[in-house]
Amino acid sequence: MRRRSLLALPGALPALLLPGLARAQEAPLVVASFSILGDLVREVAGGAVRLRTIAGPNVDAHSFQPRPSDAEALRGAALVVRNGLGFDGWMDRMVRAAGYRGPVATATDGITPRMMAGHAHNHSHGGGAERRHSHSVGPRQVPDPHAWQDLRHGIHYVRGIATALAAAVPAQAGAIQDAAGRYAARLEALDGWVRAQIAAVPEARRKVITSHDAFGYFGAAYGINFLAPQGVSTEAEPSAGDVARLIRQIRAESITAVFMENMGNPATLQRLAREAGVAVQGRLYADALSEAGGPAASYEAMFRHNVGLLVPAMRGQAA
Ligand SMILES: [Zn+2]
């Protein structure tokens, strides 16, 4: 009798015990909406969490379309990290579709956004509740979501992510806050380096053309005037009039710093550069990191890469 009941058990045991064992042994799952947030979570959490990044390297988060398997990744997550300001509104739809009821950390919470003229047909920046109060007539003002392009805001992101991670993984709270403090100190030093690099460029030369308005915060923080044929979202097509105005400005002001971005369609920018008679100086990393091994595989590497290209291009020394 006893022997028989024991024999009956092995089949039942794994099914009953393994889910519990798996939960005890695996680190909690954290889901980040796009590659830059994923890198910040990795720096702060280290091995304390399993990290899943939805929109990966070189992926345009503006036009990102999550697959059903992405929503599936939210099941069992301990924390979701998103940018907010309408950048990754698809993440909110994924959260609803997956029935996820856990904590959602919004990295831009507490940051006063820059406001930009929006486009009526731009839905990617307008899906969230953030925009419901907009009643303006004419080109409506939308928040610029690219706040990470100012390292001071990046430090704000890191502190918010650390608070959310410490709450989600309380056993590791001390290590998480320590790592966040060390990382924030590195970003502070990098911010100083960026300022020193750009200070070496005469103010009148600090003009840069990029594909879309991803560098508004960078320009405001570090004193560069960025101009782009596309607005704050890569989804809106630039008008012929906007492109013609930019070409006239490039010629009139002898702008030499013209750049593509690592995601999106470079065709408009290449045509603009050709018609203005200037060479495209390379590829800036705006809304996504590069693949591992690429020139901008981390948030810090992205700034070093971008500044390393921008400074000689603004001075008219590159290409
Ligand atoms: Zn963008």
Side-chain angles (χ1 to χ4, degrees):
M1 284 293 281
R2 176 176 277 188
R3 211 181 175 91
R4 181 177 283 178
S5 61
L6 279 174
L7 280 173
L9 269 173
L13 256 177
L16 286 171
L17 296 181
L18 274 179
L21 284 173
R23 271 197 295 276
Q25 287 166 355
E26 281 190 341
L29 174 66
V30 175
V31 179
S33 61
F34 76 113
S35 56
I36 291 167
L37 286 184
D39 185 51
L40 302 191
V41 170
R42 192 184 52 75
E43 285 285 352
V44 172
V49 303
R50 285 175 297 137
L51 172 64
R52 169 87 190 255
T53 299
I54 303 296
N58 293 321
V59 171
D60 183 354
H62 290 293
S63 57
F64 185 73
Q65 303 276 355
R67 297 155 300 180
S69 62
D70 294 323
E72 199 60 39
L74 289 177
R75 288 186 214 282
L79 176 66
V80 166
V81 182
R82 58 169 213 151
N83 184 72
L85 300 181
F87 182 67
D88 39 14
W90 43 266
M91 198 74 179
D92 306 346
R93 294 194 294 278
M94 273 174 60
V95 161
R96 282 192 297 274
Y100 171 78
R101 305 218 185 284
V104 177
T106 301
T108 53
D109 268 0
I111 289 174
T112 303
R114 302 177 71 251
M115 299 304 286
M116 305 277 293
H119 298 269
H121 57 282
N122 168 8
H123 52 267
S124 97
H125 276 150
E130 296 128 289
R131 289 263 297 274
R132 282 193 199 130
H133 57 275
S134 170
H135 303 293
S136 59
V137 187
R140 60 179 170 167
Q141 295 286 303
V142 297
D144 176 353
H146 307 90
W148 63 86
Q149 287 292 353
D150 174 347
L151 280 157
R152 299 283 169 105
H153 289 333
I155 292 168
H156 179 96
Y157 279 32
V158 166
R159 299 214 185 283
I161 287 169
T163 300
L165 281 169
V169 197
Q172 301 288 333
I176 285 167
Q177 292 295 358
D178 287 351
R182 288 191 301 272
Y183 186 39
R186 288 203 328 255
L187 297 182
E188 187 83 44
L190 184 58
D191 183 78
W193 176 82
V194 172
R195 286 170 200 282
Q197 291 292 306
I198 290 163
V201 180
E203 268 188 63
R205 299 292 311 158
R206 295 185 202 160
K207 292 170 188 164
V208 179
I209 312 286
T210 59
S211 302
H212 85 295
D213 272 326
F215 293 95
Y217 291 91
F218 189 110
Y222 305 114
I224 295 176
N225 186 13
F226 282 89
L227 304 157
Q230 276 181 304
V232 288
S233 173
T234 54
E235 292 201 318
E237 281 301 312
S239 76
D242 288 343
V243 172
R245 259 190 300 280
L246 258 185
I247 289 170
R248 282 197 299 275
Q249 187 170 2
I250 290 169
R251 288 179 178 148
E253 301 176 18
S254 305
I255 297 173
T256 49
V258 179
F259 287 95
M260 292 188 293
E261 291 166 19
N262 63 315
M263 23 124 291
N265 184 352
T268 299
L269 203 277
Q270 284 166 335
R271 198 184 71 232
L272 182 149
R274 201 163 51 239
E275 289 179 22
V278 293
V280 176
Q281 302 288 309
R283 182 170 283 134
L284 298 178
Y285 286 78
D287 294 11
L289 301 178
S290 66
E291 303 281 353
S298 71
Y299 180 59
E300 290 170 289
M302 178 181 79
F303 273 88
R304 285 193 292 266
H305 170 84
N306 286 348
V307 172
L309 286 182
L310 285 167
V311 167
M314 288 189 293
R315 299 173 75 113
Q317 290 169 343

